[in-house]
Amino acid sequence: MAIRIKDVDRAARSAWHRAADLGFLRPPSPENEEFWRPVFSSRGHRLKGAFDGERCVGTLRSFPMEITVPGGGAVEADAITGVTVLPTHRRQGLLTRMMTTELTEAVARDQALAILISVEWPIYGRFGFGPATFSAEFDVDCARGGLRAEVVDWIDRAAGTVEIVDAEEYAKAAPEVHARFRARQVGAVERPEWRWQMMTGQRPHPVHKREGAFYVLHRDSSGRPTGALTYRIEDKENWIGGVPQVRLKVDDLIVGAERARDDAVAAAALWQYVTSVDWIGTVSTGGRSPDDPFPLLLEDARAARRVGGEDMLWLRVLDVPAALEARTYQAEGEVIIRVEDPQGHCNGSYHLEGGLDGATCTRTTQEPDITLPVDSLGTLYLGGESARRLQAAGRLAEEWTGAAARIDTLFNEARLPWSPDGF
Ligand SMILES: CC(C)(COP(=O)(O)OP(=O)(O)OC[C@H]1O[C@@H](n2cnc3c(N)ncnc32)[C@H](O)[C@@H]1OP(=O)(O)O)[C@@H](O)C(=O)NCCC(=O)NCCS
């Protein structure tokens, strides 16, 4: 029987959940279905399934989600997740059919971007997605000294406070910190209510448990919450020869002060806190921005050893003029970009004229300065990748020497984009 791709109504939701659990190599879990029930009923949520008769054998979920772009604007993207195909039906083109339908529908909804987090590198490039943010994980060896003395002075002079709070107080204060964080962090996405509930144990997620979490708030000298930290303790029994080797695992550390220039001191205070908890041998930072300045706060920056991190958010441009006009550029300038899109949504040449205050972007028949596949445009879009690097990797072609450098002058951001949240 032919396999059909269709929207999943309430009656078929259990079959969809079962397939998603199996696809992610988990035994089917009614608790998981229960957790997601209210979320899936919320505005804009869409479930797609591949159905072999009545059996769901492939899954895809999407919903609208804001992402911060260079300049601080928030663009509503089509966030795609829950992508699975059962092992019995893999490599028969089902993902291709679900994704093709999803992207076509996102274009019809006038969504300029689609975003996702890819579990494996080779899956989504063929659908026009490019890696757009990256993360870096560090293990900090606390025995090699804490923060530099002048950083400690700086924290003291700012006269903020660091307080361990309960989950309830954290849940009240942290969203305000996140709102300011997200407005300034290119690549950051919204944190929906369900994610806060999951993080604070209000609605524990049956798979991604956060048992034993500690909650900490940083407040500025006026008492306003400016930093939010959650962590857990691992290896509590790990004492060797009477010396503790306990690990502190940071789940989330974000800052959002009233003024951008006060973010750094709030972050320093939270790093000071985590690196000075008694018994802790190692602080495991979780995913940070690859250019997070925190190692430079340390007496010995090599005490922060990079232990992991990879591509995080993948981005697909669906509407070139809308996407390129939504962001700002680091210099005044213009460029003609030819985009090649295997799915056909963005094929063509575009004249971009941009600057610090915004941009105009229109279709053109003029000769291009550069030609690139749409996945490379996704990689460049948030300003975290260099066009010259993509050119060297054969992912972008210059029509004249120096065209990629001009793209970099316009597109690159002083700080890397970062997306701490999964979805
Ligand atoms: C990833 C997954 C959804 C792919 O589904 P699928 O229906 O097998 O994919 P398709 O048949 O449409 O594959 C399309 C193309 O992508 C390639 N491809 C798909 N998944 C791939 C992977 N994980 N690694 C490398 N290539 C992959 C296929 O080989 C095929 O290439 P071809 O057109 O050159 O033949 C499926 O393997 C799966 O459920 N994996 C486990 C869960 C998972 O990883 N989900 C993704 C979460 S982000």
Side-chain angles (χ1 to χ4, degrees):
M1 181 188 290
I3 295 173
R4 285 176 309 137
I5 308 299
K6 60 176 194 182
D7 290 337
V8 174
D9 57 19
R10 273 172 198 273
R13 266 199 205 161
S14 292
W16 188 96
H17 275 284
R18 179 179 181 279
D21 275 336
L22 290 171
F24 283 129
L25 308 185
R26 299 188 293 248
S29 151
E31 294 79 23
N32 200 19
E33 182 177 346
E34 189 54 37
F35 176 88
W36 289 110
R37 190 194 311 271
V39 180
F40 288 5
S41 305
S42 62
R43 187 190 72 87
H45 258 82
R46 297 167 291 266
L47 299 185
K48 270 194 189 350
F51 284 82
D52 190 349
E54 290 306 303
R55 263 184 334 124
C56 184
V57 296
T59 64
L60 184 150
R61 172 161 79 92
S62 66
F63 58 98
M65 187 175 228
E66 284 186 358
I67 177 167
T68 306
V69 300
V75 174
E76 185 192 283
D78 186 36
I80 297 173
T81 183
V83 173
T84 67
V85 169
L86 288 190
T88 47
H89 289 69
R90 68 192 280 279
R91 308 303 182 263
Q92 297 172 25
L94 295 187
L95 167 62
T96 305
R97 289 175 59 196
M98 289 191 292
M99 185 60 84
T100 304
T101 310
E102 176 62 30
L103 294 180
T104 303
E105 290 175 1
V107 169
R109 288 190 295 263
D110 286 334
Q111 288 174 305
L113 305 174
I115 52 175
L116 53 76
I117 292 166
S118 184
V119 72
E120 292 189 278
W121 182 281
I123 303 176
Y124 297 106
R126 73 189 68 237
F127 303 113
F129 289 84
T133 77
F134 289 78
S135 75
E137 287 183 40
F138 300 86
D139 270 2
V140 184
D141 180 353
C142 298
R144 284 167 66 183
L147 269 54
R148 290 168 20 239
E150 63 269 34
V151 176
V152 175
D153 275 355
W154 176 39
I155 295 167
D156 290 346
R157 277 201 309 278
T161 57
V162 172
E163 190 185 351
I164 304 173
V165 296
D166 59 26
E168 225 167 73
E169 186 173 351
Y170 179 89
K172 276 194 204 127
E176 139 183 14
V177 176
H178 187 267
R180 289 189 289 266
F181 160 77
R182 173 160 85 90
R184 289 202 270 274
Q185 178 61 62
V186 174
V189 295
E190 275 177 88
R191 239 176 225 182
E193 185 61 21
W194 61 263
R195 192 163 174 84
W196 287 111
Q197 292 174 335
M198 179 175 138
M199 286 175 67
T200 55
Q202 286 172 321
R203 292 189 66 232
H205 189 280
V207 179
H208 306 291
K209 293 197 172 73
R210 298 272 186 129
E211 281 160 4
F214 291 82
Y215 302 95
V216 174
L217 291 174
H218 178 268
R219 295 180 195 275
D220 65 15
S221 55
S222 70
R224 183 192 299 273
T226 48
L229 160 73
T230 65
Y231 64 90
R232 281 170 295 168
I233 299 298
E234 294 173 346
D235 299 338
K236 200 152 77 190
E237 311 308 325
N238 189 9
W239 291 58
I240 299 175
V243 179
Q245 310 287 322
V246 179
R247 281 178 89 83
L248 184 156
K249 165 85 177 61
V250 174
D251 283 325
D252 189 39
L253 189 161
I254 53 164
V255 291
E258 187 67 4
R259 296 175 307 182
R261 65 171 193 257
D262 297 329
D263 280 357
V265 74
L270 290 175
W271 288 115
Q272 180 189 36
Y273 172 83
V274 290
T275 53
S276 63
V277 176
D278 283 332
W279 299 3
I280 302 302
T282 304
V283 170
S284 164
T285 64
R288 308 298 309 168
S289 173
D291 70 347
D292 192 314
F294 96 87
L296 303 178
L297 302 172
L298 301 170
E299 197 69 60
D300 175 357
R302 288 192 201 167
R305 192 165 51 86
R306 187 163 170 169
V307 292
E310 58 271 325
D311 48 288
M312 180 68 187
L313 189 94
W314 288 57
L315 186 146
R316 206 249 195 244
V317 175
L318 293 167
D319 178 335
V320 178
L324 294 187
E325 288 183 357
R327 59 159 290 181
T328 62
Y329 298 83
Q330 285 295 316
E332 303 293 325
E334 55 184 310
V335 68
I336 294 175
I337 300 173
R338 178 158 60 215
V339 180
E340 293 170 344
D341 183 345
Q343 277 82 36
H345 301 301
C346 299
N347 275 326
S349 292
Y350 301 87
H351 179 199
L352 169 70
E353 202 169 352
L356 290 170
D357 296 326
T360 57
C361 179
T362 47
R363 279 191 182 270
T364 180
T365 51
Q366 286 174 265
E367 285 304 306
D369 299 305
I370 60 158
T371 298
L372 79 178
V374 69
D375 56 301
S376 289
L377 184 62
T379 291
L380 288 175
Y381 180 67
L382 295 176
E385 181 56 279
S386 138
R388 278 168 287 189
R389 183 164 182 252
L390 291 183
Q391 185 212 6
R395 306 291 305 140
L396 173 158
E398 295 188 317
E399 306 300 334
W400 50 271
T401 305
R406 180 188 289 178
I407 294 283
D408 284 338
T409 313
L410 291 172
F411 276 66
N412 281 6
E413 287 285 289
R415 294 292 304 275
L416 291 176
W418 181 46
S419 342
D421 288 300
F423 53 86

